[in-house]
Amino acid sequence: MNPRIGLTMSLAVRNNTAEPLYRMGLNLEYADAVRQAGGVPVPMPMIERPDEFDRLLDLCDGLILTGGEDVLPRRYGRQPHPRTEDRKSVV
């Protein structure tokens, strides 16, 4: 079976405001690259609850962080840097 590779999705905002333009987006170049390498791309939607994201992640053999907002420092046991922006990040 080909490896399933999770691809994080992004949030777009309207004209540099906090108003969402769309909730989930995926740069298709990442998905194409995973397919060309023999993998199966698995879009990872923005999920508010970490336990739900973890369950989805368990279905994958790997994960590509495609960019976007910072990973919340509490997810890896650290305090945020003073310059870290306080945005709703889910990973």
Side-chain angles (χ1 to χ4, degrees), residues 7-55:
L7 300 171
T8 57
M9 301 177 81
S10 62
L11 171 71
V13 294
R14 187 180 311 276
N15 299 327
N16 297 322
T17 69
E19 182 183 346
L21 185 59
Y22 58 84
R23 183 152 175 86
M24 295 179 268
L26 175 64
N27 183 332
L28 293 179
E29 290 179 8
Y30 288 103
D32 292 342
V34 167
R35 275 195 283 288
Q36 289 174 10
V40 176
V42 179
M44 304 290 284
M46 297 180 75
I47 298 174
E48 295 290 331
R49 293 183 46 193
D51 60 317
E52 291 177 1
F53 187 85
D54 289 345
R55 281 188 275 154

